[in-house]
Amino acid sequence: MPKITHHQLALCCSWLIVCALMLIIGYFGFNQSLWGDEDFTFFIINGSWSHLWSVVTTDFHPPGFYILLKIYAAATAVFWPLLTKVTLAKIFVFLPHAFLAIGGLFYCQRHRHLASGLIFAVGILTWPLLLPYSVEIRMYSLVLLGVTTAGLAAAHFYRARSRAALIVLAAATLLTFYSQYYAGVSVMIIWTGLWWHLRRDHATADLRRLYRAGALVLLFYLPWLPFLPRQLAMVADHPLGQATFALTPAHMWHFFASSVTPLGSAPAVSSSAFDFSLSHCALLLIFWAGGVYLLPPRHRRLAICAIFPYLATLFLGFVLVLFDIPFIPRYLYPTFGGLIIALSLVFAQPLTNLPRLKQIALIGYAAAFFAVCSLNLYNFCRTELAYARTTALWQAIIHDINTAPAQTVIVYDYPYACYQNRESYFPGVDALDCLPYTSQNFGTPFAAALHRAKKLYVLAYYGDCTGQKQIFTDNGFTLQEIFRSPLLDQLSDSTDQLQTLHMVSPQCVFYQEATGSSFFSD
Protein backbone atom coordinates (compact mmCIF):
# COMPACT_ATOMS: atom_id res chain seq x y z
CA MET A 1 0.00 0.00 0.00
CA PRO A 2 1.53 3.36 -1.02
CA LYS A 3 2.34 5.73 1.80
CA ILE A 4 0.30 8.92 2.07
CA THR A 5 2.54 11.98 2.11
CA HIS A 6 2.01 15.04 4.30
CA HIS A 7 1.16 17.09 1.20
CA GLN A 8 -1.50 14.63 0.09
CA LEU A 9 -3.00 14.60 3.58
CA ALA A 10 -3.04 18.41 3.71
CA LEU A 11 -4.60 18.52 0.25
CA CYS A 12 -7.34 16.08 1.25
CA CYS A 13 -8.09 17.99 4.47
CA SER A 14 -8.24 21.31 2.61
CA TRP A 15 -10.81 20.04 0.13
CA LEU A 16 -12.82 18.41 2.92
CA ILE A 17 -12.90 21.72 4.84
CA VAL A 18 -14.07 23.69 1.80
CA CYS A 19 -16.72 21.10 0.86
CA ALA A 20 -17.93 20.92 4.47
CA LEU A 21 -18.26 24.71 4.65
CA MET A 22 -20.31 24.78 1.44
CA LEU A 23 -22.59 22.02 2.76
CA ILE A 24 -23.09 23.86 6.07
CA ILE A 25 -23.89 27.13 4.31
CA GLY A 26 -26.31 25.33 2.01
CA TYR A 27 -28.02 23.46 4.83
CA PHE A 28 -28.69 26.57 6.90
CA GLY A 29 -28.78 29.22 4.19
CA PHE A 30 -30.96 27.64 1.50
CA ASN A 31 -34.14 28.24 3.49
CA GLN A 32 -37.37 29.99 2.47
CA SER A 33 -36.79 33.28 4.30
CA LEU A 34 -36.81 36.51 2.34
CA TRP A 35 -36.53 40.17 3.13
CA GLY A 36 -38.08 43.06 1.21
CA ASP A 37 -35.43 43.43 -1.50
CA GLU A 38 -35.40 39.68 -2.20
CA ASP A 39 -39.17 39.66 -2.48
CA PHE A 40 -38.81 42.52 -4.96
CA THR A 41 -36.44 40.33 -6.99
CA PHE A 42 -39.16 37.70 -7.32
CA PHE A 43 -41.71 40.40 -8.17
CA ILE A 44 -39.47 41.31 -11.13
CA ILE A 45 -38.63 37.84 -12.46
CA ASN A 46 -42.03 36.18 -11.95
CA GLY A 47 -43.71 38.36 -14.57
CA SER A 48 -43.23 38.52 -18.31
CA TRP A 49 -40.12 39.84 -20.03
CA SER A 50 -41.91 43.11 -20.76
CA HIS A 51 -42.82 43.37 -17.07
CA LEU A 52 -39.18 42.80 -16.11
CA TRP A 53 -38.00 45.49 -18.48
CA SER A 54 -40.59 48.05 -17.39
CA VAL A 55 -39.75 47.59 -13.70
CA VAL A 56 -35.97 47.45 -14.08
CA THR A 57 -35.79 50.61 -16.16
CA THR A 58 -37.37 52.52 -13.26
CA ASP A 59 -35.35 50.78 -10.53
CA PHE A 60 -31.93 51.61 -9.03
CA HIS A 61 -30.00 48.74 -10.63
CA PRO A 62 -29.22 47.64 -14.20
CA PRO A 63 -30.95 44.52 -15.59
CA GLY A 64 -28.12 41.98 -15.84
CA PHE A 65 -28.77 40.07 -12.63
CA TYR A 66 -32.53 39.89 -13.17
CA ILE A 67 -32.13 38.65 -16.76
CA LEU A 68 -29.68 35.91 -15.74
CA LEU A 69 -31.85 34.86 -12.78
CA LYS A 70 -34.99 34.71 -14.96
CA ILE A 71 -33.19 32.53 -17.53
CA TYR A 72 -31.88 30.32 -14.71
CA ALA A 73 -35.38 30.03 -13.20
CA ALA A 74 -36.81 28.92 -16.54
CA ALA A 75 -33.98 26.42 -17.04
CA THR A 76 -34.44 24.88 -13.57
CA ALA A 77 -38.25 24.77 -13.65
CA VAL A 78 -38.06 20.99 -13.98
CA PHE A 79 -36.75 20.84 -10.39
CA TRP A 80 -39.68 22.80 -8.85
CA PRO A 81 -41.45 19.67 -7.53
CA LEU A 82 -38.30 18.87 -5.53
CA LEU A 83 -36.95 22.33 -4.70
CA THR A 84 -38.80 25.61 -4.26
CA LYS A 85 -38.11 28.69 -6.36
CA VAL A 86 -36.55 30.35 -3.34
CA THR A 87 -34.12 27.46 -2.76
CA LEU A 88 -33.14 27.34 -6.42
CA ALA A 89 -32.58 31.10 -6.45
CA LYS A 90 -30.37 30.90 -3.36
CA ILE A 91 -28.34 28.16 -5.05
CA PHE A 92 -27.92 30.51 -8.02
CA VAL A 93 -26.56 33.39 -5.94
CA PHE A 94 -24.28 31.06 -3.97
CA LEU A 95 -22.62 29.66 -7.11
CA PRO A 96 -20.22 32.65 -7.55
CA HIS A 97 -18.87 32.11 -4.03
CA ALA A 98 -18.49 28.38 -4.64
CA PHE A 99 -16.80 29.02 -7.99
CA LEU A 100 -14.31 31.46 -6.46
CA ALA A 101 -13.55 29.18 -3.49
CA ILE A 102 -13.04 26.04 -5.59
CA GLY A 103 -11.19 27.89 -8.35
CA GLY A 104 -8.88 29.63 -5.88
CA LEU A 105 -8.05 26.44 -4.03
CA PHE A 106 -7.45 24.54 -7.27
CA TYR A 107 -5.19 27.29 -8.68
CA CYS A 108 -3.11 27.51 -5.49
CA GLN A 109 -2.89 23.74 -5.31
CA ARG A 110 -1.38 23.62 -8.81
CA HIS A 111 1.18 26.28 -7.86
CA ARG A 112 2.14 24.59 -4.58
CA HIS A 113 0.59 27.27 -2.35
CA LEU A 114 -2.02 25.13 -0.64
CA ALA A 115 -2.16 27.23 2.56
CA SER A 116 -2.91 30.38 0.55
CA GLY A 117 -5.62 28.53 -1.36
CA LEU A 118 -7.26 27.32 1.83
CA ILE A 119 -7.19 30.81 3.37
CA PHE A 120 -8.70 32.29 0.21
CA ALA A 121 -11.46 29.66 -0.02
CA VAL A 122 -12.39 29.90 3.66
CA GLY A 123 -12.34 33.70 3.48
CA ILE A 124 -14.57 33.89 0.39
CA LEU A 125 -17.06 31.53 2.03
CA THR A 126 -17.14 32.75 5.64
CA TRP A 127 -15.52 36.20 6.09
CA PRO A 128 -17.81 38.75 7.84
CA LEU A 129 -19.97 40.74 5.41
CA LEU A 130 -19.31 38.16 2.67
CA LEU A 131 -21.21 35.21 4.12
CA PRO A 132 -24.70 36.77 4.54
CA TYR A 133 -24.73 38.05 0.96
CA SER A 134 -23.72 34.66 -0.43
CA VAL A 135 -27.33 33.46 -0.03
CA GLU A 136 -29.15 36.76 -0.50
CA ILE A 137 -31.19 36.76 -3.71
CA ARG A 138 -29.72 39.99 -5.00
CA MET A 139 -26.89 40.87 -7.37
CA TYR A 140 -24.09 41.14 -4.81
CA SER A 141 -22.53 37.70 -5.20
CA LEU A 142 -22.57 38.12 -8.98
CA VAL A 143 -20.67 41.42 -8.82
CA LEU A 144 -18.22 39.91 -6.30
CA LEU A 145 -17.41 37.35 -8.97
CA GLY A 146 -17.16 40.07 -11.62
CA VAL A 147 -14.88 42.42 -9.68
CA THR A 148 -12.63 39.63 -8.35
CA THR A 149 -12.32 38.04 -11.79
CA ALA A 150 -11.58 41.43 -13.34
CA GLY A 151 -8.81 42.05 -10.81
CA LEU A 152 -7.23 38.63 -11.37
CA ALA A 153 -7.49 39.00 -15.16
CA ALA A 154 -5.89 42.46 -15.03
CA ALA A 155 -2.99 41.10 -12.94
CA HIS A 156 -2.52 38.18 -15.32
CA PHE A 157 -2.59 40.43 -18.38
CA TYR A 158 0.02 42.72 -16.87
CA ARG A 159 2.29 39.79 -16.07
CA ALA A 160 1.81 37.63 -19.18
CA ARG A 161 0.26 40.04 -21.76
CA SER A 162 -2.26 37.29 -22.47
CA ARG A 163 -5.09 37.86 -24.96
CA ALA A 164 -7.29 35.45 -23.02
CA ALA A 165 -6.79 37.51 -19.85
CA LEU A 166 -7.88 40.65 -21.70
CA ILE A 167 -11.01 38.90 -22.98
CA VAL A 168 -11.85 37.72 -19.45
CA LEU A 169 -11.28 41.25 -18.13
CA ALA A 170 -13.69 42.69 -20.71
CA ALA A 171 -16.33 40.02 -20.03
CA ALA A 172 -16.11 40.48 -16.24
CA THR A 173 -16.38 44.24 -16.72
CA LEU A 174 -19.55 43.91 -18.78
CA LEU A 175 -21.06 41.50 -16.26
CA THR A 176 -20.36 43.98 -13.47
CA PHE A 177 -21.57 47.09 -15.29
CA TYR A 178 -24.83 45.35 -16.19
CA SER A 179 -25.37 44.24 -12.56
CA GLN A 180 -24.53 47.09 -10.15
CA TYR A 181 -23.15 50.61 -10.52
CA TYR A 182 -20.87 50.82 -7.49
CA ALA A 183 -19.29 47.52 -8.52
CA GLY A 184 -18.81 49.05 -11.97
CA VAL A 185 -16.89 51.88 -10.33
CA SER A 186 -14.66 49.33 -8.57
CA VAL A 187 -13.91 47.69 -11.94
CA MET A 188 -13.08 51.10 -13.43
CA ILE A 189 -10.57 51.52 -10.61
CA ILE A 190 -8.99 48.20 -11.64
CA TRP A 191 -8.78 49.36 -15.27
CA THR A 192 -7.23 52.64 -14.13
CA GLY A 193 -4.59 50.78 -12.11
CA LEU A 194 -3.76 48.52 -15.05
CA TRP A 195 -3.53 51.54 -17.39
CA TRP A 196 -1.19 53.30 -14.98
CA HIS A 197 1.15 50.31 -14.71
CA LEU A 198 1.28 49.86 -18.50
CA ARG A 199 1.87 53.56 -19.06
CA ARG A 200 4.65 53.60 -16.46
CA ASP A 201 6.30 50.69 -18.28
CA HIS A 202 5.89 52.49 -21.64
CA ALA A 203 4.06 49.42 -22.99
CA THR A 204 2.52 51.26 -25.95
CA ALA A 205 1.36 48.17 -27.84
CA ASP A 206 -0.37 46.75 -24.76
CA LEU A 207 -1.99 50.11 -24.03
CA ARG A 208 -3.51 50.05 -27.52
CA ARG A 209 -4.85 46.55 -26.83
CA LEU A 210 -6.35 47.81 -23.57
CA TYR A 211 -7.99 50.75 -25.38
CA ARG A 212 -9.52 48.40 -27.96
CA ALA A 213 -10.89 46.18 -25.19
CA GLY A 214 -12.36 49.23 -23.46
CA ALA A 215 -13.99 50.38 -26.69
CA LEU A 216 -15.51 46.91 -27.13
CA VAL A 217 -16.93 47.02 -23.58
CA LEU A 218 -18.45 50.44 -24.29
CA LEU A 219 -19.95 49.16 -27.55
CA PHE A 220 -21.71 46.28 -25.77
CA TYR A 221 -22.89 48.67 -23.05
CA LEU A 222 -24.50 51.10 -25.51
CA PRO A 223 -28.00 49.53 -25.28
CA TRP A 224 -28.22 50.50 -21.60
CA LEU A 225 -26.73 53.99 -21.85
CA PRO A 226 -30.09 55.76 -22.53
CA PHE A 227 -31.37 54.52 -19.15
CA LEU A 228 -28.19 55.30 -17.23
CA PRO A 229 -28.74 59.02 -16.42
CA ARG A 230 -32.21 58.45 -15.00
CA GLN A 231 -31.10 55.59 -12.79
CA LEU A 232 -28.06 57.47 -11.51
CA ALA A 233 -30.31 60.42 -10.65
CA MET A 234 -32.60 58.06 -8.69
CA VAL A 235 -29.61 56.69 -6.76
CA ALA A 236 -28.43 60.20 -5.94
CA ASP A 237 -31.87 61.11 -4.56
CA HIS A 238 -32.12 58.03 -2.31
CA PRO A 239 -32.39 59.07 1.38
CA LEU A 240 -29.43 57.04 2.68
CA GLY A 241 -26.60 59.46 2.15
CA GLN A 242 -26.40 61.24 5.52
CA ALA A 243 -23.21 60.62 7.49
CA THR A 244 -21.75 61.91 10.72
CA PHE A 245 -18.24 60.48 10.20
CA ALA A 246 -18.02 59.20 13.74
CA LEU A 247 -15.24 56.64 14.10
CA THR A 248 -14.68 55.61 17.68
CA PRO A 249 -13.61 52.35 19.32
CA ALA A 250 -17.30 51.80 20.14
CA HIS A 251 -18.22 51.92 16.46
CA MET A 252 -15.39 49.59 15.54
CA TRP A 253 -16.28 47.11 18.25
CA HIS A 254 -19.97 47.22 17.33
CA PHE A 255 -19.25 46.39 13.72
CA PHE A 256 -16.95 43.54 14.66
CA ALA A 257 -19.25 42.17 17.36
CA SER A 258 -22.31 42.37 15.12
CA SER A 259 -20.47 40.18 12.59
CA VAL A 260 -19.11 37.44 14.84
CA THR A 261 -21.50 37.27 17.80
CA PRO A 262 -25.11 36.07 17.93
CA LEU A 263 -27.71 38.48 16.59
CA GLY A 264 -28.41 41.24 19.07
CA SER A 265 -25.36 40.64 21.26
CA ALA A 266 -23.41 43.63 19.99
CA PRO A 267 -23.78 46.83 22.05
CA ALA A 268 -25.94 49.41 20.29
CA VAL A 269 -24.38 52.62 19.00
CA SER A 270 -25.95 55.47 17.07
CA SER A 271 -24.29 55.66 13.69
CA SER A 272 -24.83 56.19 10.00
CA ALA A 273 -24.24 53.49 7.42
CA PHE A 274 -21.02 55.18 6.33
CA ASP A 275 -19.67 55.12 9.89
CA PHE A 276 -19.94 51.36 9.78
CA SER A 277 -18.08 51.37 6.47
CA LEU A 278 -15.29 53.34 8.11
CA SER A 279 -15.33 51.02 11.09
CA HIS A 280 -14.99 47.98 8.90
CA CYS A 281 -12.21 49.63 6.91
CA ALA A 282 -10.31 50.48 10.11
CA LEU A 283 -10.59 46.92 11.39
CA LEU A 284 -9.47 45.45 8.10
CA LEU A 285 -6.52 47.80 7.88
CA ILE A 286 -5.43 46.87 11.39
CA PHE A 287 -5.72 43.19 10.49
CA TRP A 288 -4.02 43.70 7.11
CA ALA A 289 -1.22 45.83 8.56
CA GLY A 290 -0.12 42.79 10.56
CA GLY A 291 -0.06 40.85 7.32
CA VAL A 292 2.23 43.38 5.62
CA TYR A 293 4.89 42.61 8.20
CA LEU A 294 4.55 38.92 7.38
CA LEU A 295 4.24 39.20 3.61
CA PRO A 296 7.09 37.95 1.44
CA PRO A 297 8.68 41.02 -0.21
CA ARG A 298 7.88 39.74 -3.71
CA HIS A 299 4.16 39.68 -2.87
CA ARG A 300 3.80 43.07 -1.19
CA ARG A 301 3.19 44.99 -4.40
CA LEU A 302 0.56 42.49 -5.54
CA ALA A 303 -1.16 42.68 -2.14
CA ILE A 304 -1.27 46.48 -2.30
CA CYS A 305 -2.80 46.30 -5.79
CA ALA A 306 -5.37 43.75 -4.54
CA ILE A 307 -6.52 45.94 -1.68
CA PHE A 308 -6.45 49.20 -3.67
CA PRO A 309 -9.96 48.87 -5.24
CA TYR A 310 -11.41 48.49 -1.73
CA LEU A 311 -9.70 51.61 -0.43
CA ALA A 312 -10.44 53.62 -3.57
CA THR A 313 -14.13 52.65 -3.48
CA LEU A 314 -14.30 53.61 0.18
CA PHE A 315 -12.70 56.97 -0.59
CA LEU A 316 -15.27 57.50 -3.35
CA GLY A 317 -18.00 56.77 -0.81
CA PHE A 318 -16.48 59.36 1.52
CA VAL A 319 -16.73 61.95 -1.25
CA LEU A 320 -20.26 60.97 -2.25
CA VAL A 321 -21.75 61.16 1.23
CA LEU A 322 -20.44 64.71 1.51
CA PHE A 323 -23.10 65.45 -1.10
CA ASP A 324 -25.73 63.22 0.59
CA ILE A 325 -25.43 60.54 -2.08
CA PRO A 326 -25.97 57.11 -0.49
CA PHE A 327 -23.07 54.82 0.32
CA ILE A 328 -23.63 51.83 2.59
CA PRO A 329 -21.38 48.94 3.66
CA ARG A 330 -22.64 46.43 1.12
CA TYR A 331 -21.35 48.65 -1.70
CA LEU A 332 -17.85 47.64 -0.58
CA TYR A 333 -18.77 43.97 -0.80
CA PRO A 334 -17.70 43.44 -4.45
CA THR A 335 -14.13 44.50 -3.61
CA PHE A 336 -13.72 41.96 -0.82
CA GLY A 337 -12.26 39.37 -3.18
CA GLY A 338 -9.13 41.52 -3.43
CA LEU A 339 -8.93 41.78 0.34
CA ILE A 340 -9.08 38.02 0.73
CA ILE A 341 -6.40 37.65 -1.95
CA ALA A 342 -4.16 40.05 -0.02
CA LEU A 343 -4.72 38.09 3.19
CA SER A 344 -4.03 34.76 1.51
CA LEU A 345 -0.72 36.00 0.10
CA VAL A 346 0.59 36.13 3.68
CA PHE A 347 0.66 32.33 3.64
CA ALA A 348 2.39 31.95 0.25
CA GLN A 349 5.69 31.13 1.92
CA PRO A 350 7.13 28.09 3.69
CA LEU A 351 6.83 28.42 7.45
CA THR A 352 10.20 26.78 8.00
CA ASN A 353 12.02 29.50 6.05
CA LEU A 354 10.91 32.25 8.44
CA PRO A 355 12.62 33.49 11.61
CA ARG A 356 11.21 32.17 14.86
CA LEU A 357 9.34 35.40 15.68
CA LYS A 358 7.65 35.51 12.28
CA GLN A 359 6.68 31.86 12.57
CA ILE A 360 4.87 32.58 15.83
CA ALA A 361 3.26 35.70 14.34
CA LEU A 362 2.10 33.79 11.25
CA ILE A 363 0.53 31.04 13.37
CA GLY A 364 -1.25 33.67 15.48
CA TYR A 365 -2.41 35.44 12.33
CA ALA A 366 -3.90 32.22 10.97
CA ALA A 367 -5.55 31.46 14.32
CA ALA A 368 -7.13 34.92 14.41
CA PHE A 369 -8.37 34.53 10.84
CA PHE A 370 -9.98 31.14 11.43
CA ALA A 371 -11.46 32.31 14.75
CA VAL A 372 -13.19 35.27 13.10
CA CYS A 373 -14.48 33.09 10.24
CA SER A 374 -15.69 30.37 12.64
CA LEU A 375 -17.55 32.82 14.86
CA ASN A 376 -19.11 34.44 11.83
CA LEU A 377 -20.21 31.05 10.49
CA TYR A 378 -21.75 30.20 13.86
CA ASN A 379 -23.58 33.51 13.91
CA PHE A 380 -24.80 32.93 10.35
CA CYS A 381 -26.14 29.45 11.10
CA ARG A 382 -27.89 30.60 14.27
CA THR A 383 -29.49 33.58 12.53
CA GLU A 384 -30.55 31.64 9.43
CA LEU A 385 -32.12 28.99 11.65
CA ALA A 386 -34.18 31.72 13.31
CA TYR A 387 -35.10 33.10 9.87
CA ALA A 388 -36.25 29.64 8.78
CA ARG A 389 -38.41 29.17 11.89
CA THR A 390 -39.90 32.63 11.44
CA THR A 391 -40.72 31.91 7.80
CA ALA A 392 -42.38 28.58 8.60
CA LEU A 393 -44.63 30.24 11.17
CA TRP A 394 -45.38 33.10 8.80
CA GLN A 395 -46.40 30.71 6.00
CA ALA A 396 -48.90 29.10 8.37
CA ILE A 397 -50.37 32.56 9.05
CA ILE A 398 -50.62 33.22 5.31
CA HIS A 399 -52.57 30.00 4.88
CA ASP A 400 -54.98 30.94 7.68
CA ILE A 401 -55.58 34.42 6.27
CA ASN A 402 -56.32 33.12 2.78
CA THR A 403 -58.93 30.61 3.98
CA ALA A 404 -61.58 33.38 4.19
CA PRO A 405 -60.15 36.36 2.28
CA ALA A 406 -63.45 38.10 1.61
CA GLN A 407 -64.15 38.53 5.33
CA THR A 408 -60.64 39.62 6.28
CA VAL A 409 -59.01 42.98 6.91
CA ILE A 410 -55.22 43.25 7.16
CA VAL A 411 -53.51 46.37 8.46
CA TYR A 412 -49.80 47.18 8.42
CA ASP A 413 -47.38 49.59 10.03
CA TYR A 414 -44.91 49.11 7.15
CA PRO A 415 -46.36 50.21 3.79
CA TYR A 416 -43.48 48.76 1.75
CA ALA A 417 -44.30 45.25 2.95
CA CYS A 418 -47.99 45.79 2.35
CA TYR A 419 -47.60 46.72 -1.30
CA GLN A 420 -45.46 43.65 -1.95
CA ASN A 421 -47.47 41.22 0.16
CA ARG A 422 -50.71 42.28 -1.50
CA GLU A 423 -49.76 40.52 -4.73
CA SER A 424 -47.33 37.90 -3.45
CA TYR A 425 -49.20 36.48 -0.49
CA PHE A 426 -52.76 37.83 -0.29
CA PRO A 427 -54.08 38.15 -3.85
CA GLY A 428 -57.65 37.37 -2.76
CA VAL A 429 -57.83 39.76 0.19
CA ASP A 430 -59.51 42.96 -0.98
CA ALA A 431 -59.11 44.89 2.27
CA LEU A 432 -55.48 45.66 2.95
CA ASP A 433 -54.62 48.95 4.60
CA CYS A 434 -51.10 50.07 3.74
CA LEU A 435 -51.05 53.17 5.92
CA PRO A 436 -49.13 53.22 9.22
CA TYR A 437 -51.67 53.20 12.00
CA THR A 438 -51.29 55.77 14.75
CA SER A 439 -53.53 57.07 17.48
CA GLN A 440 -54.16 60.17 15.32
CA ASN A 441 -55.32 58.48 12.09
CA PHE A 442 -56.68 55.29 13.63
CA GLY A 443 -60.30 55.66 12.64
CA THR A 444 -60.07 56.93 9.09
CA PRO A 445 -58.01 54.42 7.06
CA PHE A 446 -59.82 51.17 7.71
CA ALA A 447 -63.00 51.85 9.69
CA ALA A 448 -65.14 51.30 6.59
CA ALA A 449 -63.45 47.97 5.88
CA LEU A 450 -64.02 46.83 9.45
CA HIS A 451 -67.79 47.34 9.02
CA ARG A 452 -67.93 44.43 6.57
CA ALA A 453 -65.18 42.26 8.06
CA LYS A 454 -65.26 39.42 10.53
CA LYS A 455 -61.51 38.88 10.85
CA LEU A 456 -58.84 41.45 11.65
CA TYR A 457 -55.11 40.80 11.32
CA VAL A 458 -52.60 43.42 12.48
CA LEU A 459 -49.11 42.96 11.04
CA ALA A 460 -46.41 44.74 13.06
CA TYR A 461 -42.96 45.24 11.55
CA TYR A 462 -41.49 47.98 13.78
CA GLY A 463 -40.17 47.89 17.32
CA ASP A 464 -41.08 45.15 19.76
CA CYS A 465 -44.83 45.20 18.81
CA THR A 466 -46.11 46.58 22.13
CA GLY A 467 -46.88 50.05 20.77
CA GLN A 468 -48.94 48.76 17.87
CA LYS A 469 -51.08 46.56 20.06
CA GLN A 470 -51.60 49.39 22.54
CA ILE A 471 -53.09 51.65 19.84
CA PHE A 472 -55.78 49.08 19.11
CA THR A 473 -56.37 48.41 22.80
CA ASP A 474 -56.93 52.12 23.39
CA ASN A 475 -59.61 52.03 20.68
CA GLY A 476 -61.59 49.18 22.19
CA PHE A 477 -60.06 46.16 20.50
CA THR A 478 -58.86 43.05 22.30
CA LEU A 479 -56.15 41.68 20.03
CA GLN A 480 -54.58 38.28 20.54
CA GLU A 481 -50.95 37.69 19.57
CA ILE A 482 -50.85 34.67 17.23
CA PHE A 483 -47.35 35.10 15.80
CA ARG A 484 -44.08 36.39 17.21
CA SER A 485 -40.82 36.21 15.32
CA PRO A 486 -38.19 34.05 17.04
CA LEU A 487 -35.73 36.76 16.04
CA LEU A 488 -37.17 39.10 18.65
CA ASP A 489 -35.91 36.82 21.40
CA GLN A 490 -32.35 37.19 20.05
CA LEU A 491 -32.40 40.96 19.95
CA SER A 492 -31.68 43.46 22.66
CA ASP A 493 -33.96 46.37 23.44
CA SER A 494 -32.18 48.58 20.92
CA THR A 495 -34.71 50.27 18.65
CA ASP A 496 -32.07 50.47 15.92
CA GLN A 497 -31.65 46.71 15.93
CA LEU A 498 -35.38 46.04 16.06
CA GLN A 499 -36.03 48.28 13.07
CA THR A 500 -33.38 46.76 10.82
CA LEU A 501 -34.95 43.32 10.36
CA HIS A 502 -37.56 44.30 7.78
CA MET A 503 -38.10 40.79 6.54
CA VAL A 504 -41.09 39.96 4.37
CA SER A 505 -42.59 38.34 7.44
CA PRO A 506 -43.64 40.70 10.25
CA GLN A 507 -42.27 40.66 13.75
CA CYS A 508 -45.70 40.10 15.28
CA VAL A 509 -49.20 39.29 14.08
CA PHE A 510 -52.28 40.11 16.17
CA TYR A 511 -55.76 38.73 15.51
CA GLN A 512 -59.32 39.40 16.51
CA GLU A 513 -62.59 37.94 15.24
CA ALA A 514 -65.84 39.89 15.33
CA THR A 515 -68.42 38.63 17.78
CA GLY A 516 -71.37 39.62 15.57
CA SER A 517 -71.79 40.18 11.86
CA SER A 518 -68.97 42.74 11.98
CA PHE A 519 -66.75 44.55 14.45
CA PHE A 520 -69.33 47.30 14.74
CA SER A 521 -72.39 45.07 15.23
CA ASP A 522 -74.69 45.87 18.13
Side-chain angles (χ1 to χ4, degrees):
M1 181 177 178
K3 184 179 179 181
I4 299 177
T5 65
H6 290 293
H7 176 74
Q8 290 173 329
L9 182 61
L11 182 63
C12 181
C13 290
S14 297
W15 280 104
L16 284 175
I17 289 172
V18 172
C19 291
L21 288 176
M22 289 192 291
L23 288 173
I24 291 171
I25 294 169
Y27 179 79
F28 287 95
F30 296 166
N31 54 53
Q32 304 304 300
S33 67
L34 300 172
W35 76 292
D37 283 6
E38 292 177 293
D39 199 44
F40 182 68
T41 298
F42 279 102
F43 170 72
I44 292 176
I45 69 167
N46 282 340
S48 63
W49 283 103
S50 59
H51 166 78
L52 182 150
W53 190 255
S54 64
V55 175
V56 167
T57 52
T58 57
D59 186 38
F60 297 102
H61 298 291
F65 168 75
Y66 301 112
I67 291 174
L68 292 176
L69 182 58
K70 187 172 180 62
I71 294 172
Y72 167 84
T76 56
V78 66
F79 297 107
W80 289 356
L82 300 175
L83 298 171
T84 67
K85 287 184 179 181
V86 174
T87 300
L88 287 169
K90 291 194 174 187
I91 292 174
F92 174 79
V93 297
F94 181 70
L95 287 176
H97 281 258
F99 177 79
L100 285 172
I102 293 173
L105 183 57
F106 181 74
Y107 176 85
C108 292
Q109 169 195 329
R110 289 189 60 188
H111 290 78
R112 311 293 290 184
H113 294 306
L114 186 59
S116 291
L118 180 60
I119 290 290
F120 177 79
V122 172
I124 283 292
L125 292 173
T126 61
W127 187 256
L129 214 65
L130 279 176
L131 179 54
Y133 291 110
S134 68
V135 292
E136 182 174 314
I137 308 173
R138 298 292 288 165
M139 67 287 302
Y140 300 111
S141 63
L142 198 63
V143 294
L144 172 71
L145 175 64
V147 173
T148 306
T149 303
L152 292 172
H156 186 65
F157 176 74
Y158 177 72
R159 186 177 71 250
R161 304 299 198 262
S162 164
R163 177 184 296 181
L166 198 57
I167 293 173
V168 171
L169 174 61
T173 301
L174 269 177
L175 172 68
T176 306
F177 268 104
Y178 268 110
S179 299
Q180 206 236 11
Y181 292 120
Y182 274 107
V185 171
S186 300
V187 169
M188 289 176 63
I189 293 168
I190 292 172
W191 278 72
T192 303
L194 177 60
W195 171 84
W196 183 84
H197 278 85
L198 292 175
R199 184 177 175 83
R200 187 200 58 180
D201 294 347
H202 304 289
T204 306
D206 294 314
L207 279 171
R208 284 199 293 266
R209 296 170 65 191
L210 186 67
Y211 294 149
R212 287 196 294 268
L216 192 64
V217 169
L218 182 60
L219 177 66
F220 278 99
Y221 198 67
L222 282 178
W224 187 248
L225 283 181
F227 305 97
L228 185 62
R230 180 173 59 181
Q231 284 203 324
L232 292 181
M234 292 172 60
V235 171
D237 292 336
H238 200 281
L240 286 175
Q242 298 78 17
T244 57
F245 304 113
L247 183 58
T248 66
H251 287 95
M252 295 171 63
W253 169 246
H254 180 278
F255 196 100
F256 177 77
S258 62
S259 298
V260 299
T261 61
L263 187 64
S265 300
V269 294
S270 177
S271 182
S272 69
F274 190 71
D275 293 336
F276 288 123
S277 300
L278 289 176
S279 302
H280 192 257
C281 179
L283 284 167
L284 279 176
L285 287 178
I286 292 171
F287 193 71
W288 190 76
V292 172
Y293 167 73
L294 300 170
L295 270 173
R298 67 183 185 279
H299 290 152
R300 285 178 183 168
R301 183 179 176 186
L302 178 59
I304 292 171
C305 292
I307 201 173
F308 180 74
Y310 173 84
L311 296 176
T313 306
L314 183 74
F315 176 76
L316 173 67
F318 179 84
V319 174
L320 291 178
V321 296
L322 290 176
F323 299 96
D324 284 342
I325 297 175
F327 188 86
I328 50 182
R330 63 174 174 264
Y331 295 159
L332 290 168
Y333 167 86
T335 64
F336 272 41
L339 292 175
I340 303 301
I341 290 173
L343 293 175
S344 65
L345 287 172
V346 176
F347 299 89
Q349 54 189 323
L351 188 64
T352 54
N353 293 351
L354 296 176
R356 182 68 173 173
L357 182 60
K358 280 197 173 184
Q359 289 183 12
I360 296 173
L362 192 64
I363 293 172
Y365 198 71
F369 174 83
F370 282 111
V372 169
C373 290
S374 299
L375 289 169
N376 186 54
L377 180 63
Y378 166 74
N379 180 30
F380 169 82
C381 295
R382 190 171 185 266
T383 303
E384 289 296 325
L385 189 60
Y387 285 161
R389 291 171 178 169
T390 298
T391 303
L393 294 171
W394 170 233
Q395 289 174 338
I397 297 294
I398 293 173
H399 179 268
D400 291 343
I401 291 176
N402 285 319
T403 54
Q407 299 178 309
T408 299
V409 170
I410 306 174
V411 293
Y412 289 74
D413 64 346
Y414 185 34
Y416 182 73
C418 177
Y419 294 129
Q420 292 185 238
N421 288 2
R422 181 195 300 274
E423 185 170 333
S424 300
Y425 299 114
F426 309 120
V429 179
D430 57 359
L432 292 111
D433 174 27
C434 295
L435 299 175
Y437 41 83
T438 66
S439 55
Q440 285 74 32
N441 70 359
F442 181 86
T444 51
F446 47 85
L450 287 174
H451 272 284
R452 63 177 186 272
K454 297 195 67 175
K455 294 181 178 180
L456 168 66
Y457 290 89
V458 178
L459 276 56
Y461 283 80
Y462 283 97
D464 59 359
C465 307
T466 55
Q468 295 92 322
K469 182 178 181 180
Q470 189 61 44
I471 291 173
F472 282 84
T473 302
D474 293 342
N475 285 272
F477 288 81
T478 55
L479 298 178
Q480 174 188 0
E481 184 180 287
I482 60 171
F483 168 84
R484 184 175 182 86
S485 170
L487 292 168
L488 286 176
D489 298 330
Q490 297 185 30
L491 293 170
S492 68
D493 294 333
S494 166
T495 302
D496 290 340
Q497 289 176 312
L498 290 171
Q499 289 185 349
T500 54
L501 288 179
H502 286 179
M503 295 175 62
V504 171
S505 59
Q507 301 195 47
C508 298
V509 176
F510 301 101
Y511 170 75
Q512 185 175 346
E513 188 168 352
T515 55
S517 59
S518 78
F519 284 96
F520 296 97
S521 299
D522 294 330

